[in-house]
Amino acid sequence: MAGAYQQPDGKVVVTTMVERIDHRGPDACGVLELVDPETSVVLGHRRLSIIDLSTASDQPFAKDGLTLSYNGEVYNYRELRSELERHHGVRFATGSDTEVVLEAWRAWGPASLARLRGMFAFAVHDASTGSITLARDPLGIKPLYVMERGEGVVFASELKAILAAVGRELTVDPQAMVASALYYWVPQEFDSVRGVSKLPPGTWRTYHRDGSRSAGAFWDVVEEAARASRGPQADLREVVAESVRAHLVSDAPVASFLSGGLDSSIVTALAHRQDPSIEAYTIAFRAEDQKLEAMPDDAKYARIMARTLGIRLHEIEIRPDVVSLLPRMVDILDEPIGDPAAINTLLMCDAARDAGVKVLLSGMGADELFGGYRKHLATLATARYRRLPAPLRTGVIAPLVRATPVAVAGRGIRTVRWAQRFLTFAELPEEEAFRRSYTMYDRDELVDLVDPALAGTVDGVLDRHREVYEDNALEHQVDRMCLADARMFMVGLNLTYTDRASMAASTEVRVPFVDIEVFRAAFSVPGPEKIRGRVQKAALKDAARAWLPDEVIDRPKASFGVPLRAWVGNDLRELVDDTLLRGELVGSGFLRRDPLQRLVDDQRSGRRDESKQIWQLLCLEYWYRNVRASGVATA
């Protein structure tokens, strides 16, 4: 979707934006201009038809004075439709959720937003008032970029659409670049380019013809988590099963991601109960890459689940030409995001789309909400570690771990990597330890890497993490970590790359765990039941025993990763030397060459694992070049 309000060049701007995001909807395209003596509105839309495949549901969708451009799916649209028909006398012309969203807005206005269960970002224009309202779903599954321009606003589903239309009016924001270097993604609170912000999840904003604005929030994750934590504990088995059932609504084929991990196995098993014909997609890697990465064979567990359920499993071996794929991936991801897992999503979605599948289910979100990441357990473990005598910690353990190489004879040593990582935050207080457990650098390392003039910017980025982490009254540390992840990591990274990578393949990924009812259920579970001793996602595993074999539930945790060390050390070696070390970030002074060279040398020697940092900085370099090519100025 894309649009412009009160813009004299609105038609040109919106047409340019819609053309730039044609991948998001190859089934139909529409641009509608609505002009009266006082207002100018242009709405554009690219359609990926999933519910009501007829042309009657193409967008922008206009009916009785309201016009809607809408990206996403509302899974309870049938229930809302029945209510609107019974109590409001609405007559529907289509079988789409689009028309239901429009009529819900007519009936209830902003109060309708809290009643929509799904993922959405939309713009609705009201001819009677001349106003336009933008809204985004509660947990930030669907994106919405907003640029207030002159007396009005320009907006789109992807940043690149706005850059294509008005990039020469914009400037790179160094604060977001610093945040990207720290996190390897850009949190919701930061703008990659100045003047283009992300509408916060769970909010709406109305632009009026007199130039005024009004806004509101219809869902607040902090309040919802607190309320759920004070209430009775939900029946996870019932809530999760119902969410998966709701997420299956579609008039187009639906399949599932099946990594072989707990979360995707739960979603696939529950989807199979509703639709025994459902198929699944998984990934595998080259044996030599798995060896260097010391990666577990996830495909083995995906095969176990497929045999258990009796479903067809499509295996996709990841052998990408990463040198050519990297710049393409950076363009797809839109913001400076350095998570190579996005490649897995893109390649699986490509394969599914080639097979005629438009909709895929994912287990994303369960780790954030139920305490499933290694960082959660590791941060809790710091308290036990600090009970060891200080001379043992600082005089024996730390020097030994730091001196041990992370790879020997072409074989990665995971335990050494983890131990070195653990030591970077083992002595820190709670919030700082949690932040350091998943970010790239400590404060001094990052200040040393970037332009010295940005030291204050680094401090501001770190302060923002502390503000988000501490902005709640949850009693247990696990719950505080999970809430911080839901507000930052999930929306800023995982949902962002999933949306961009899937839509680049013209597919839709649905995330049943990222659901308002599952969110409430997750925070109704006490922290000690999320992580019970060393067992992570314990409550969710208890629920899953009704659906999955113990072999899958009790398997070791594995990340949705790629053979990054093999790629950085082999495939990308020349690119690191030519594109990164001699690149525009170094040339502009944003990155300092000597600390960057040391980082690369440490990686190549096997002394430390810096592959993730190098990948992220390569992504940042390509992103910087892309936005500069769009006309965006430097700071």
Side-chain angles (χ1 to χ4, degrees), residues 200-248:
T203 69
W204 57 270
R205 188 181 303 164
T206 298
Y207 296 84
H208 304 279
R209 60 162 45 123
D210 64 2
S212 64
R213 297 165 177 78
S214 54
F218 63 93
W219 213 84
D220 185 288
V221 290
V222 176
E223 292 179 4
E224 292 291 342
R227 188 176 298 114
S229 71
R230 296 191 297 266
Q233 186 167 334
D235 183 334
L236 284 186
R237 196 168 293 163
E238 178 181 323
V239 172
V240 173
E242 198 279 327
S243 181
V244 173
R245 181 200 61 75
H247 281 70
L248 285 168

Side-chain angles (χ1 to χ4, degrees), residues 65-145:
L66 294 182
T67 305
L68 177 71
S69 184
Y70 152 60
N71 172 217
E73 306 290 349
V74 169
Y75 306 120
N76 62 336
Y77 80 97
R78 289 171 178 156
E79 295 88 338
L80 294 173
R81 176 184 175 126
S82 294
E83 183 176 351
L84 289 163
E85 287 175 328
R86 285 196 315 269
H87 300 298
H88 294 268
V90 177
R91 293 187 177 183
F92 287 89
T94 73
S96 69
D97 59 331
T98 302
E99 189 176 6
V100 172
V101 171
L102 181 144
E103 291 294 353
W105 182 266
R106 190 194 312 278
W108 303 307
S112 67
L113 299 172
R115 306 183 65 167
L116 305 179
R117 183 179 187 180
M119 54 181 184
F120 58 85
F122 69 73
V124 59
H125 173 250
D126 187 338
S128 67
T129 64
S131 64
I132 192 167
T133 298
L134 309 179
R136 189 176 177 202
D137 65 64
L139 292 165
I141 304 171
K142 282 298 175 184
L144 185 52
Y145 290 86

Side-chain angles (χ1 to χ4, degrees), residues 1-3 11 14-15 17-19 25 27-33 42-47 58-61 68-69:
M1 61 174 281
K11 185 72 175 291
V14 173
T15 300
M17 291 194 292
V18 167
E19 289 173 353
D27 298 331
C29 177
V31 175
L32 182 61
E33 188 172 19
V42 184
L43 295 177
H45 192 265
R46 301 289 321 202
R47 186 180 182 201
D58 288 351
Q59 298 183 48
F61 187 88
L68 177 71
S69 184

